[in-house]
Amino acid sequence: MKPEYLHAISNHMLVIGVGLGILALLLALFLKSRQAQIVALVVVLVSSAAAYPVLFLGQQAYKSVRGMADEPGQGWLDTHMERAETTIYIYYALLLVAGAALAVPKWKPKTAVPLALATLAFAAASMGVGGWISYAGGRVRHPEFRDGPPPAAVEPRHQHTLHE
């Protein structure tokens, strides 16, 4: 399959998975159930692990999508890619915190709720970041979503066109 399609599919798995993980974690904390927390944390962990494939597939799709986009869409694509590459670390942090929230309470049970709350905070932050990234991504090939030109270009750290 083409990387642009795989990027779109895996992105939805990331966003929907983390969103469902947030809901499950909120419910688990409300119920004060460690078993429910574990299920919710696994959902968050597995979903946040999709962040790297989403980024990788987006980088692989960059050149072909850029060729399909109009000029404003190309600007939105550059913004989308820059945002994703700059903020991917929030997803890596979420992965680490969720992993810690699963593992550490086995040895230190009193850390379960604070680590679950930290996971919830990182998951909420990742959803905010994901929305910010997606805002630009949705405007690449959909002029009906554009409410203005893309933000001023940031000096690229590297050339995306090298990915083939």
Side-chain angles (χ1 to χ4, degrees):
M1 292 187 86
K2 294 182 177 185
E4 52 270 27
Y5 296 115
L6 294 173
H7 171 72
I9 292 167
S10 59
N11 179 61
H12 286 91
M13 290 172 25
L14 170 65
V15 172
I16 292 168
V18 172
L20 289 173
I22 288 171
L23 292 175
L25 194 50
L26 284 169
L27 182 60
L29 288 166
F30 177 76
L31 295 174
K32 298 180 182 179
S33 168
R34 179 62 186 161
Q35 291 81 13
Q37 283 180 28
I38 290 169
V39 171
L41 291 166
V42 168
V43 170
V44 171
L45 184 81
V46 170
S47 300
S48 62
Y52 178 76
V54 169
L55 177 65
F56 176 78
L57 290 165
Q59 290 170 329
Q60 296 302 305
Y62 179 85
K63 189 174 183 180
S64 65
V65 172
R66 187 167 179 81
M68 291 185 269
D70 59 11
E71 189 174 331
Q74 291 173 355
W76 281 111
L77 179 63
D78 292 341
T79 299
H80 176 64
M81 183 66 83
E82 181 65 29
R83 288 178 180 182
E85 290 178 339
T86 303
T87 61
I88 186 72
Y89 304 103
I90 188 75
Y91 293 99
Y92 297 158
L94 174 59
L95 182 68
L96 291 173
V97 173
L102 281 166
V104 172
K106 292 178 184 178
W107 298 281
K108 298 185 181 214
K110 290 185 179 185
T111 64
V113 171
L115 286 171
L117 290 170
T119 301
L120 193 59
F122 274 90
S126 76
M127 290 297 284
V129 164
W132 184 59
I133 296 166
S134 298
Y135 180 86
R139 282 150 181 76
V140 174
R141 299 263 300 143
H142 295 280
E144 68 273 16
F145 295 151
R146 298 177 192 155
D147 52 3
V154 177
E155 186 66 32
R157 289 175 286 166
H158 64 285
Q159 293 294 320
H160 302 291
T161 56
L162 296 177
H163 300 286
E164 298 199 24

PDB file of all heavy atoms in Angstrom, residues 91-127:
ATOM      1  N   TYR A  91       4.592  12.196  22.420  1.00  0.00           N
ATOM      2  CA  TYR A  91       4.089  10.824  22.323  1.00  0.00           C
ATOM      3  C   TYR A  91       5.087   9.831  22.919  1.00  0.00           C
ATOM      4  O   TYR A  91       4.690   8.846  23.548  1.00  0.00           O
ATOM      5  CB  TYR A  91       3.767  10.458  20.871  1.00  0.00           C
ATOM      6  CG  TYR A  91       2.603  11.237  20.336  1.00  0.00           C
ATOM      7  CD1 TYR A  91       2.801  12.365  19.542  1.00  0.00           C
ATOM      8  CD2 TYR A  91       1.303  10.860  20.640  1.00  0.00           C
ATOM      9  CE1 TYR A  91       1.725  13.089  19.053  1.00  0.00           C
ATOM     10  CE2 TYR A  91       0.217  11.579  20.150  1.00  0.00           C
ATOM     11  CZ  TYR A  91       0.445  12.693  19.371  1.00  0.00           C
ATOM     12  OH  TYR A  91      -0.619  13.409  18.898  1.00  0.00           O
ATOM     13  N   TYR A  92       6.375  10.087  22.731  1.00  0.00           N
ATOM     14  CA  TYR A  92       7.388   9.222  23.332  1.00  0.00           C
ATOM     15  C   TYR A  92       7.334   9.343  24.860  1.00  0.00           C
ATOM     16  O   TYR A  92       7.467   8.347  25.570  1.00  0.00           O
ATOM     17  CB  TYR A  92       8.781   9.584  22.824  1.00  0.00           C
ATOM     18  CG  TYR A  92       8.984   9.400  21.339  1.00  0.00           C
ATOM     19  CD1 TYR A  92       9.981  10.091  20.673  1.00  0.00           C
ATOM     20  CD2 TYR A  92       8.176   8.551  20.580  1.00  0.00           C
ATOM     21  CE1 TYR A  92      10.194   9.926  19.306  1.00  0.00           C
ATOM     22  CE2 TYR A  92       8.367   8.387  19.220  1.00  0.00           C
ATOM     23  CZ  TYR A  92       9.379   9.076  18.589  1.00  0.00           C
ATOM     24  OH  TYR A  92       9.579   8.922  17.240  1.00  0.00           O
ATOM     25  N   ALA A  93       7.147  10.562  25.348  1.00  0.00           N
ATOM     26  CA  ALA A  93       7.019  10.764  26.796  1.00  0.00           C
ATOM     27  C   ALA A  93       5.775  10.049  27.321  1.00  0.00           C
ATOM     28  O   ALA A  93       5.809   9.421  28.390  1.00  0.00           O
ATOM     29  CB  ALA A  93       6.968  12.252  27.125  1.00  0.00           C
ATOM     30  N   LEU A  94       4.681  10.140  26.583  1.00  0.00           N
ATOM     31  CA  LEU A  94       3.451   9.438  26.975  1.00  0.00           C
ATOM     32  C   LEU A  94       3.700   7.936  27.046  1.00  0.00           C
ATOM     33  O   LEU A  94       3.269   7.273  27.994  1.00  0.00           O
ATOM     34  CB  LEU A  94       2.325   9.754  25.989  1.00  0.00           C
ATOM     35  CG  LEU A  94       1.018   8.981  26.172  1.00  0.00           C
ATOM     36  CD1 LEU A  94       0.431   9.213  27.554  1.00  0.00           C
ATOM     37  CD2 LEU A  94       0.027   9.372  25.079  1.00  0.00           C
ATOM     38  N   LEU A  95       4.393   7.407  26.085  1.00  0.00           N
ATOM     39  CA  LEU A  95       4.718   5.984  26.072  1.00  0.00           C
ATOM     40  C   LEU A  95       5.505   5.596  27.322  1.00  0.00           C
ATOM     41  O   LEU A  95       5.198   4.593  27.981  1.00  0.00           O
ATOM     42  CB  LEU A  95       5.521   5.667  24.808  1.00  0.00           C
ATOM     43  CG  LEU A  95       5.931   4.232  24.555  1.00  0.00           C
ATOM     44  CD1 LEU A  95       4.715   3.363  24.265  1.00  0.00           C
ATOM     45  CD2 LEU A  95       6.907   4.163  23.389  1.00  0.00           C
ATOM     46  N   LEU A  96       6.486   6.394  27.677  1.00  0.00           N
ATOM     47  CA  LEU A  96       7.311   6.116  28.857  1.00  0.00           C
ATOM     48  C   LEU A  96       6.503   6.237  30.156  1.00  0.00           C
ATOM     49  O   LEU A  96       6.622   5.389  31.047  1.00  0.00           O
ATOM     50  CB  LEU A  96       8.521   7.047  28.899  1.00  0.00           C
ATOM     51  CG  LEU A  96       9.578   6.817  27.833  1.00  0.00           C
ATOM     52  CD1 LEU A  96      10.637   7.914  27.873  1.00  0.00           C
ATOM     53  CD2 LEU A  96      10.223   5.442  27.992  1.00  0.00           C
ATOM     54  N   VAL A  97       5.691   7.275  30.268  1.00  0.00           N
ATOM     55  CA  VAL A  97       4.900   7.480  31.482  1.00  0.00           C
ATOM     56  C   VAL A  97       3.865   6.370  31.632  1.00  0.00           C
ATOM     57  O   VAL A  97       3.663   5.838  32.741  1.00  0.00           O
ATOM     58  CB  VAL A  97       4.249   8.882  31.493  1.00  0.00           C
ATOM     59  CG1 VAL A  97       3.286   9.037  32.652  1.00  0.00           C
ATOM     60  CG2 VAL A  97       5.323   9.962  31.556  1.00  0.00           C
ATOM     61  N   ALA A  98       3.196   6.000  30.538  1.00  0.00           N
ATOM     62  CA  ALA A  98       2.219   4.914  30.605  1.00  0.00           C
ATOM     63  C   ALA A  98       2.902   3.598  30.984  1.00  0.00           C
ATOM     64  O   ALA A  98       2.367   2.824  31.794  1.00  0.00           O
ATOM     65  CB  ALA A  98       1.480   4.771  29.274  1.00  0.00           C
ATOM     66  N   GLY A  99       4.077   3.358  30.436  1.00  0.00           N
ATOM     67  CA  GLY A  99       4.841   2.158  30.804  1.00  0.00           C
ATOM     68  C   GLY A  99       5.214   2.163  32.276  1.00  0.00           C
ATOM     69  O   GLY A  99       5.096   1.139  32.969  1.00  0.00           O
ATOM     70  N   ALA A 100       5.640   3.321  32.760  1.00  0.00           N
ATOM     71  CA  ALA A 100       5.967   3.441  34.191  1.00  0.00           C
ATOM     72  C   ALA A 100       4.725   3.238  35.050  1.00  0.00           C
ATOM     73  O   ALA A 100       4.778   2.588  36.101  1.00  0.00           O
ATOM     74  CB  ALA A 100       6.587   4.803  34.469  1.00  0.00           C
ATOM     75  N   ALA A 101       3.588   3.763  34.603  1.00  0.00           N
ATOM     76  CA  ALA A 101       2.341   3.612  35.359  1.00  0.00           C
ATOM     77  C   ALA A 101       1.884   2.157  35.414  1.00  0.00           C
ATOM     78  O   ALA A 101       1.187   1.757  36.349  1.00  0.00           O
ATOM     79  CB  ALA A 101       1.244   4.486  34.753  1.00  0.00           C
ATOM     80  N   LEU A 102       2.279   1.376  34.439  1.00  0.00           N
ATOM     81  CA  LEU A 102       1.978  -0.055  34.460  1.00  0.00           C
ATOM     82  C   LEU A 102       2.957  -0.827  35.337  1.00  0.00           C
ATOM     83  O   LEU A 102       2.555  -1.726  36.073  1.00  0.00           O
ATOM     84  CB  LEU A 102       2.027  -0.630  33.037  1.00  0.00           C
ATOM     85  CG  LEU A 102       0.815  -0.380  32.170  1.00  0.00           C
ATOM     86  CD1 LEU A 102       1.128  -0.694  30.713  1.00  0.00           C
ATOM     87  CD2 LEU A 102      -0.361  -1.208  32.659  1.00  0.00           C
ATOM     88  N   ALA A 103       4.240  -0.479  35.272  1.00  0.00           N
ATOM     89  CA  ALA A 103       5.281  -1.280  35.918  1.00  0.00           C
ATOM     90  C   ALA A 103       5.584  -0.889  37.368  1.00  0.00           C
ATOM     91  O   ALA A 103       5.650  -1.756  38.235  1.00  0.00           O
ATOM     92  CB  ALA A 103       6.556  -1.205  35.089  1.00  0.00           C
ATOM     93  N   VAL A 104       5.776   0.382  37.615  1.00  0.00           N
ATOM     94  CA  VAL A 104       6.266   0.826  38.929  1.00  0.00           C
ATOM     95  C   VAL A 104       5.345   0.429  40.085  1.00  0.00           C
ATOM     96  O   VAL A 104       5.842   0.007  41.140  1.00  0.00           O
ATOM     97  CB  VAL A 104       6.552   2.350  38.913  1.00  0.00           C
ATOM     98  CG1 VAL A 104       6.886   2.878  40.303  1.00  0.00           C
ATOM     99  CG2 VAL A 104       7.681   2.659  37.937  1.00  0.00           C
ATOM    100  N   PRO A 105       4.024   0.524  39.953  1.00  0.00           N
ATOM    101  CA  PRO A 105       3.163   0.145  41.079  1.00  0.00           C
ATOM    102  C   PRO A 105       3.284  -1.315  41.535  1.00  0.00           C
ATOM    103  O   PRO A 105       2.852  -1.648  42.641  1.00  0.00           O
ATOM    104  CB  PRO A 105       1.751   0.448  40.568  1.00  0.00           C
ATOM    105  CG  PRO A 105       1.956   1.552  39.586  1.00  0.00           C
ATOM    106  CD  PRO A 105       3.243   1.186  38.903  1.00  0.00           C
ATOM    107  N   LYS A 106       3.887  -2.170  40.735  1.00  0.00           N
ATOM    108  CA  LYS A 106       4.133  -3.551  41.178  1.00  0.00           C
ATOM    109  C   LYS A 106       5.076  -3.567  42.369  1.00  0.00           C
ATOM    110  O   LYS A 106       4.973  -4.427  43.237  1.00  0.00           O
ATOM    111  CB  LYS A 106       4.695  -4.387  40.036  1.00  0.00           C
ATOM    112  CG  LYS A 106       3.710  -4.638  38.928  1.00  0.00           C
ATOM    113  CD  LYS A 106       4.332  -5.426  37.803  1.00  0.00           C
ATOM    114  CE  LYS A 106       3.341  -5.581  36.668  1.00  0.00           C
ATOM    115  NZ  LYS A 106       3.886  -6.302  35.526  1.00  0.00           N
ATOM    116  N   TRP A 107       6.017  -2.618  42.412  1.00  0.00           N
ATOM    117  CA  TRP A 107       6.980  -2.528  43.496  1.00  0.00           C
ATOM    118  C   TRP A 107       6.614  -1.439  44.496  1.00  0.00           C
ATOM    119  O   TRP A 107       6.969  -1.532  45.659  1.00  0.00           O
ATOM    120  CB  TRP A 107       8.389  -2.264  42.952  1.00  0.00           C
ATOM    121  CG  TRP A 107       8.853  -3.365  42.068  1.00  0.00           C
ATOM    122  CD1 TRP A 107       9.356  -4.573  42.460  1.00  0.00           C
ATOM    123  CD2 TRP A 107       8.825  -3.392  40.645  1.00  0.00           C
ATOM    124  NE1 TRP A 107       9.644  -5.342  41.368  1.00  0.00           N
ATOM    125  CE2 TRP A 107       9.324  -4.647  40.223  1.00  0.00           C
ATOM    126  CE3 TRP A 107       8.415  -2.502  39.670  1.00  0.00           C
ATOM    127  CZ2 TRP A 107       9.449  -5.017  38.900  1.00  0.00           C
ATOM    128  CZ3 TRP A 107       8.532  -2.867  38.344  1.00  0.00           C
ATOM    129  CH2 TRP A 107       9.037  -4.104  37.967  1.00  0.00           C
ATOM    130  N   LYS A 108       5.943  -0.399  44.023  1.00  0.00           N
ATOM    131  CA  LYS A 108       5.546   0.723  44.881  1.00  0.00           C
ATOM    132  C   LYS A 108       4.073   1.027  44.619  1.00  0.00           C
ATOM    133  O   LYS A 108       3.752   1.929  43.843  1.00  0.00           O
ATOM    134  CB  LYS A 108       6.419   1.939  44.597  1.00  0.00           C
ATOM    135  CG  LYS A 108       7.887   1.699  44.892  1.00  0.00           C
ATOM    136  CD  LYS A 108       8.706   2.957  44.723  1.00  0.00           C
ATOM    137  CE  LYS A 108      10.149   2.616  45.025  1.00  0.00           C
ATOM    138  NZ  LYS A 108      10.843   3.692  45.650  1.00  0.00           N
ATOM    139  N   PRO A 109       3.175   0.303  45.273  1.00  0.00           N
ATOM    140  CA  PRO A 109       1.739   0.440  44.997  1.00  0.00           C
ATOM    141  C   PRO A 109       1.180   1.853  45.165  1.00  0.00           C
ATOM    142  O   PRO A 109       0.231   2.215  44.468  1.00  0.00           O
ATOM    143  CB  PRO A 109       1.092  -0.521  45.992  1.00  0.00           C
ATOM    144  CG  PRO A 109       2.158  -1.503  46.344  1.00  0.00           C
ATOM    145  CD  PRO A 109       3.448  -0.753  46.246  1.00  0.00           C
ATOM    146  N   LYS A 110       1.758   2.648  46.035  1.00  0.00           N
ATOM    147  CA  LYS A 110       1.237   3.999  46.260  1.00  0.00           C
ATOM    148  C   LYS A 110       1.466   4.925  45.068  1.00  0.00           C
ATOM    149  O   LYS A 110       0.916   6.014  45.018  1.00  0.00           O
ATOM    150  CB  LYS A 110       1.843   4.602  47.534  1.00  0.00           C
ATOM    151  CG  LYS A 110       1.344   3.930  48.784  1.00  0.00           C
ATOM    152  CD  LYS A 110       1.861   4.634  50.022  1.00  0.00           C
ATOM    153  CE  LYS A 110       1.303   3.939  51.264  1.00  0.00           C
ATOM    154  NZ  LYS A 110       1.670   4.631  52.476  1.00  0.00           N
ATOM    155  N   THR A 111       2.260   4.491  44.105  1.00  0.00           N
ATOM    156  CA  THR A 111       2.515   5.323  42.915  1.00  0.00           C
ATOM    157  C   THR A 111       1.458   5.137  41.832  1.00  0.00           C
ATOM    158  O   THR A 111       1.463   5.866  40.842  1.00  0.00           O
ATOM    159  CB  THR A 111       3.893   5.015  42.313  1.00  0.00           C
ATOM    160  OG1 THR A 111       3.906   3.656  41.852  1.00  0.00           O
ATOM    161  CG2 THR A 111       5.016   5.246  43.309  1.00  0.00           C
ATOM    162  N   ALA A 112       0.549   4.185  42.002  1.00  0.00           N
ATOM    163  CA  ALA A 112      -0.411   3.847  40.949  1.00  0.00           C
ATOM    164  C   ALA A 112      -1.252   5.049  40.524  1.00  0.00           C
ATOM    165  O   ALA A 112      -1.338   5.357  39.330  1.00  0.00           O
ATOM    166  CB  ALA A 112      -1.309   2.685  41.385  1.00  0.00           C
ATOM    167  N   VAL A 113      -1.886   5.714  41.464  1.00  0.00           N
ATOM    168  CA  VAL A 113      -2.764   6.836  41.111  1.00  0.00           C
ATOM    169  C   VAL A 113      -1.967   8.034  40.594  1.00  0.00           C
ATOM    170  O   VAL A 113      -2.325   8.595  39.552  1.00  0.00           O
ATOM    171  CB  VAL A 113      -3.698   7.209  42.281  1.00  0.00           C
ATOM    172  CG1 VAL A 113      -4.444   8.503  41.990  1.00  0.00           C
ATOM    173  CG2 VAL A 113      -4.683   6.073  42.554  1.00  0.00           C
ATOM    174  N   PRO A 114      -0.881   8.447  41.273  1.00  0.00           N
ATOM    175  CA  PRO A 114      -0.121   9.575  40.710  1.00  0.00           C
ATOM    176  C   PRO A 114       0.406   9.308  39.296  1.00  0.00           C
ATOM    177  O   PRO A 114       0.365  10.196  38.441  1.00  0.00           O
ATOM    178  CB  PRO A 114       1.036   9.770  41.699  1.00  0.00           C
ATOM    179  CG  PRO A 114       0.540   9.207  42.979  1.00  0.00           C
ATOM    180  CD  PRO A 114      -0.368   8.068  42.595  1.00  0.00           C
ATOM    181  N   LEU A 115       0.871   8.089  39.043  1.00  0.00           N
ATOM    182  CA  LEU A 115       1.369   7.782  37.698  1.00  0.00           C
ATOM    183  C   LEU A 115       0.229   7.698  36.684  1.00  0.00           C
ATOM    184  O   LEU A 115       0.394   8.089  35.523  1.00  0.00           O
ATOM    185  CB  LEU A 115       2.187   6.490  37.705  1.00  0.00           C
ATOM    186  CG  LEU A 115       3.574   6.615  38.330  1.00  0.00           C
ATOM    187  CD1 LEU A 115       4.220   5.245  38.503  1.00  0.00           C
ATOM    188  CD2 LEU A 115       4.470   7.530  37.498  1.00  0.00           C
ATOM    189  N   ALA A 116      -0.927   7.214  37.113  1.00  0.00           N
ATOM    190  CA  ALA A 116      -2.094   7.202  36.218  1.00  0.00           C
ATOM    191  C   ALA A 116      -2.518   8.633  35.893  1.00  0.00           C
ATOM    192  O   ALA A 116      -2.862   8.940  34.743  1.00  0.00           O
ATOM    193  CB  ALA A 116      -3.244   6.425  36.846  1.00  0.00           C
ATOM    194  N   LEU A 117      -2.475   9.512  36.881  1.00  0.00           N
ATOM    195  CA  LEU A 117      -2.805  10.927  36.644  1.00  0.00           C
ATOM    196  C   LEU A 117      -1.774  11.587  35.722  1.00  0.00           C
ATOM    197  O   LEU A 117      -2.139  12.382  34.856  1.00  0.00           O
ATOM    198  CB  LEU A 117      -2.919  11.679  37.969  1.00  0.00           C
ATOM    199  CG  LEU A 117      -4.133  11.330  38.824  1.00  0.00           C
ATOM    200  CD1 LEU A 117      -4.010  11.961  40.213  1.00  0.00           C
ATOM    201  CD2 LEU A 117      -5.419  11.767  38.145  1.00  0.00           C
ATOM    202  N   ALA A 118      -0.506  11.241  35.907  1.00  0.00           N
ATOM    203  CA  ALA A 118       0.533  11.775  35.019  1.00  0.00           C
ATOM    204  C   ALA A 118       0.305  11.285  33.587  1.00  0.00           C
ATOM    205  O   ALA A 118       0.437  12.055  32.630  1.00  0.00           O
ATOM    206  CB  ALA A 118       1.920  11.362  35.513  1.00  0.00           C
ATOM    207  N   THR A 119      -0.065  10.018  33.448  1.00  0.00           N
ATOM    208  CA  THR A 119      -0.376   9.470  32.129  1.00  0.00           C
ATOM    209  C   THR A 119      -1.548  10.220  31.510  1.00  0.00           C
ATOM    210  O   THR A 119      -1.524  10.573  30.329  1.00  0.00           O
ATOM    211  CB  THR A 119      -0.696   7.966  32.218  1.00  0.00           C
ATOM    212  OG1 THR A 119       0.437   7.288  32.783  1.00  0.00           O
ATOM    213  CG2 THR A 119      -1.021   7.385  30.853  1.00  0.00           C
ATOM    214  N   LEU A 120      -2.550  10.469  32.318  1.00  0.00           N
ATOM    215  CA  LEU A 120      -3.723  11.208  31.849  1.00  0.00           C
ATOM    216  C   LEU A 120      -3.326  12.600  31.365  1.00  0.00           C
ATOM    217  O   LEU A 120      -3.778  13.048  30.304  1.00  0.00           O
ATOM    218  CB  LEU A 120      -4.751  11.298  32.979  1.00  0.00           C
ATOM    219  CG  LEU A 120      -6.147  11.753  32.635  1.00  0.00           C
ATOM    220  CD1 LEU A 120      -6.796  10.839  31.613  1.00  0.00           C
ATOM    221  CD2 LEU A 120      -6.982  11.785  33.910  1.00  0.00           C
ATOM    222  N   ALA A 121      -2.449  13.263  32.097  1.00  0.00           N
ATOM    223  CA  ALA A 121      -1.997  14.608  31.710  1.00  0.00           C
ATOM    224  C   ALA A 121      -1.215  14.561  30.391  1.00  0.00           C
ATOM    225  O   ALA A 121      -1.444  15.382  29.494  1.00  0.00           O
ATOM    226  CB  ALA A 121      -1.145  15.219  32.817  1.00  0.00           C
ATOM    227  N   PHE A 122      -0.303  13.595  30.268  1.00  0.00           N
ATOM    228  CA  PHE A 122       0.468  13.476  29.027  1.00  0.00           C
ATOM    229  C   PHE A 122      -0.430  13.082  27.858  1.00  0.00           C
ATOM    230  O   PHE A 122      -0.238  13.543  26.728  1.00  0.00           O
ATOM    231  CB  PHE A 122       1.614  12.470  29.185  1.00  0.00           C
ATOM    232  CG  PHE A 122       2.857  13.067  29.757  1.00  0.00           C
ATOM    233  CD1 PHE A 122       3.071  13.091  31.124  1.00  0.00           C
ATOM    234  CD2 PHE A 122       3.827  13.625  28.926  1.00  0.00           C
ATOM    235  CE1 PHE A 122       4.215  13.644  31.664  1.00  0.00           C
ATOM    236  CE2 PHE A 122       4.975  14.187  29.455  1.00  0.00           C
ATOM    237  CZ  PHE A 122       5.179  14.194  30.826  1.00  0.00           C
ATOM    238  N   ALA A 123      -1.420  12.220  28.125  1.00  0.00           N
ATOM    239  CA  ALA A 123      -2.344  11.815  27.061  1.00  0.00           C
ATOM    240  C   ALA A 123      -3.172  13.014  26.592  1.00  0.00           C
ATOM    241  O   ALA A 123      -3.376  13.190  25.382  1.00  0.00           O
ATOM    242  CB  ALA A 123      -3.248  10.686  27.550  1.00  0.00           C
ATOM    243  N   ALA A 124      -3.636  13.821  27.529  1.00  0.00           N
ATOM    244  CA  ALA A 124      -4.402  15.020  27.157  1.00  0.00           C
ATOM    245  C   ALA A 124      -3.522  15.980  26.361  1.00  0.00           C
ATOM    246  O   ALA A 124      -3.967  16.546  25.348  1.00  0.00           O
ATOM    247  CB  ALA A 124      -4.959  15.697  28.405  1.00  0.00           C
ATOM    248  N   ALA A 125      -2.281  16.145  26.785  1.00  0.00           N
ATOM    249  CA  ALA A 125      -1.351  17.020  26.051  1.00  0.00           C
ATOM    250  C   ALA A 125      -1.108  16.474  24.647  1.00  0.00           C
ATOM    251  O   ALA A 125      -1.067  17.236  23.672  1.00  0.00           O
ATOM    252  CB  ALA A 125      -0.031  17.148  26.806  1.00  0.00           C
ATOM    253  N   SER A 126      -0.974  15.159  24.529  1.00  0.00           N
ATOM    254  CA  SER A 126      -0.734  14.581  23.204  1.00  0.00           C
ATOM    255  C   SER A 126      -1.949  14.765  22.298  1.00  0.00           C
ATOM    256  O   SER A 126      -1.794  14.958  21.091  1.00  0.00           O
ATOM    257  CB  SER A 126      -0.360  13.096  23.307  1.00  0.00           C
ATOM    258  OG  SER A 126      -1.475  12.294  23.577  1.00  0.00           O
ATOM    259  N   MET A 127      -3.140  14.728  22.870  1.00  0.00           N
ATOM    260  CA  MET A 127      -4.341  14.977  22.057  1.00  0.00           C
ATOM    261  C   MET A 127      -4.360  16.427  21.577  1.00  0.00           C
ATOM    262  O   MET A 127      -4.740  16.696  20.434  1.00  0.00           O
ATOM    263  CB  MET A 127      -5.602  14.657  22.851  1.00  0.00           C
ATOM    264  CG  MET A 127      -5.804  13.171  23.104  1.00  0.00           C
ATOM    265  SD  MET A 127      -6.028  12.192  21.620  1.00  0.00           S
ATOM    266  CE  MET A 127      -7.706  12.628  21.217  1.00  0.00           C
TER     267      MET A 127
END
